[in-house]
Amino acid sequence: EVRLLESGGKFIQPGGSLKLSCTASGFTFKKFAMSWVRQAPGKGLEWVSGVAAGDGTKYYADSVKGRFTISSDVSENTLFLQMNSLRADDSGVYFCAKEWGAIGTPLFDFWGQGTLVTVSS
Amino acid sequence: EIVLTQSPGTLSLSPGERATLSCRASQSVKNNYLAWYQQKPGLAPRLLIYAASSRATGIPDRFSGSGSGTDFTLTISRLQLEDFVVYYCQQYDGSVTFGGGTKVEIK
């Protein structure tokens, strides 16, 4: 059974930094691309960042480029999202999502339960 | 960037009725790489349909997808109580964008 468990979300002031983690199990982590998708309170879904399997190519939404960094530790089956220079509009639930393939098909077949990030003064 | 517009924003129907949800793309979605997700309150989205018309594993056959190019439809043939939630479309033709969602509510 595929399981994705996020952690690291918390209340933080604008300008601060936060690192989210997503621990995966039930599939061969190194063979699949992974993404972060967020959802502001009461709003829709927004893809944030993804990392391809194999060469580890990283992708970012324009809204987070230069501030967020995605990474993974295949030995620990864990995905990370380092978030710097946080703003109020970065607030929301951050979901870790497994992609269908290794690269190029960002179709999300499994999702974690999400972790809440609140950026406010 | 491909913009996806979902309509209606809210759909009011009764259990047992048929629901038709629309997703229109600002440009053609190559390979019909269009997916539908269902999201229940407080939970993560669940993949229902991929490649416009293929049901994901374990999805009941009352859910069906159709369309191509710029116009796509999710149909729920006979609404059950657990279907009254929010649905999102998503294109995955290289980049990723989601539609704004359609809420299906009980009339």
Side-chain angles (χ1 to χ4, degrees), chain A residues 35 37 39 43-47 62 95 100 104-114, chain B residues 33 35 37 39 42-47 49-50 88 90-92 94-96 98-100:
Chain A
S35 272
V37 178
Q39 187 169 36
K43 303 296 184 183
L45 301 167
E46 179 190 17
W47 174 80
D62 288 344
F95 296 102
W100 183 271
T105 51
L107 170 69
F108 309 116
D109 55 358
F110 290 95
W111 299 63
Q113 87 293 342
Chain B
Y33 279 173
Y37 298 86
Q39 188 177 31
L43 297 182
R46 176 175 70 148
L47 178 64
I49 301 287
Y50 64 95
Y88 295 95
Q90 178 226 338
Q91 65 82 19
Y92 54 102
S95 63
V96 180
F98 289 93

Side-chain angles (χ1 to χ4, degrees), chain B residues 39-97:
Chain B
Q39 188 177 31
K40 297 181 178 181
L43 297 182
R46 176 175 70 148
L47 178 64
L48 295 177
I49 301 287
Y50 64 95
S53 60
S54 296
R55 263 189 304 277
T57 302
I59 301 303
D61 60 8
R62 66 179 181 274
F63 292 93
S64 63
S66 62
S68 64
T70 61
D71 288 297
F72 299 88
T73 300
L74 173 70
T75 301
I76 311 171
S77 59
R78 294 172 304 280
L79 283 164
Q80 298 191 2
L81 286 176
E82 63 264 31
D83 300 335
F84 289 90
V85 292
V86 180
Y87 296 85
Y88 295 95
C89 59
Q90 178 226 338
Q91 65 82 19
Y92 54 102
D93 175 20
S95 63
V96 180
T97 49

Side-chain angles (χ1 to χ4, degrees), chain A residues 19-36:
Chain A
K19 189 171 186 176
L20 306 183
S21 300
C22 169
T23 302
S25 61
F27 64 102
T28 305
F29 183 75
K30 65 181 180 181
K31 289 189 175 180
F32 294 91
M34 297 290 294
S35 272
W36 290 95

Side-chain angles (χ1 to χ4, degrees), chain A residues 1 9 14 24 33 53 58 90 104 108 112 118 121:
Chain A
E1 180 191 4
K58 301 172 183 181
D90 292 320
F108 309 116
T118 303
S121 54

